[in-house]
């Protein structure tokens, strides 16, 4: 098991940007999820080693997922942030091919999360 450690969360105003990172991202398949209190984690974006990328409709055009395999680091560039993007953001990884790339059930290992708060 590889330890995943997120960083880069914070508080920004609507329209602002943040860049999240996830150290330890050695898994073949990596993804970002976000979760608000009382709700299930929502898939944001996923990436594999090719890289093939999948992005949720809610963030398409605003968020970009990338990875630096030499540094074992996953990134999520978040632009044009909205208050509804407020959540705890987690990175997750798996060695096995997910049937559904943005389903939380497909990922075996998770980081501890980093909070993103967007104010209007």
């Amino acid at each position: 098991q590889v330890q995943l450690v997120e960083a880069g969360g914070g508080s920004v105003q609507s329209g602002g940007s943040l860049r999240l990172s996830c150290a330890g991202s050695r898994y073949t398949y990596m993804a970002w999820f976000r979760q608000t209190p009382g709700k299930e984690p929502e898939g944001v974006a996923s990436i594999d080693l090719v890289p093939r990328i999948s992005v949720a409709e809610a963030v398409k055009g605003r968020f970009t997922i990338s990875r630096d395999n030499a540094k074992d680091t996953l990134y999520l560039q978040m632009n044009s942030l909205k208050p509804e993007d407020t959540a705890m953001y987690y990175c997750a990884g798996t060695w096995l091919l997910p049937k559904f790339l943005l389903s939380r059930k497909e990922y075996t290992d998770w980081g501890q999360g980093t909070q993103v708060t967007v104010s209007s």
Side-chain angles (χ1 to χ4, degrees):
Q1 183 175 355
V2 177
Q3 185 178 12
L4 299 173
V5 181
E6 300 96 336
S11 297
V12 296
Q13 291 191 330
S14 182
S17 299
L18 283 173
R19 189 193 194 200
L20 306 183
S21 63
C22 175
S25 298
R26 302 174 186 172
Y27 297 87
T28 304
Y29 303 93
M30 295 294 306
W32 287 99
F33 289 82
R34 63 187 183 185
Q35 187 175 25
T36 53
K39 293 188 177 181
E40 292 292 315
E42 171 192 21
V44 175
S46 69
I47 187 169
D48 67 12
L49 292 174
V50 176
R52 288 171 294 202
I53 292 171
S54 181
V55 181
E57 286 297 323
V59 303
K60 195 166 288 185
R62 300 188 298 121
F63 291 12
T64 302
I65 189 172
S66 63
R67 66 191 298 173
D68 185 334
N69 297 324
K71 297 181 179 179
D72 291 337
T73 303
L74 178 73
Y75 301 99
L76 185 68
Q77 178 66 45
M78 305 186 294
N79 299 327
S80 302
L81 282 161
K82 304 175 181 179
E84 51 264 44
D85 296 318
T86 295
M88 184 72 78
Y89 283 72
Y90 298 90
C91 63
T94 182
W95 298 110
L96 303 176
L97 174 62
K99 186 176 181 181
F100 302 103
L101 291 171
L102 296 180
S103 171
R104 65 173 181 86
K105 297 179 180 179
E106 303 283 357
Y107 293 84
T108 56
D109 296 294
W110 294 71
Q112 82 290 347
T114 186
Q115 178 68 37
V116 171
T117 303
V118 184
S119 58
S120 57

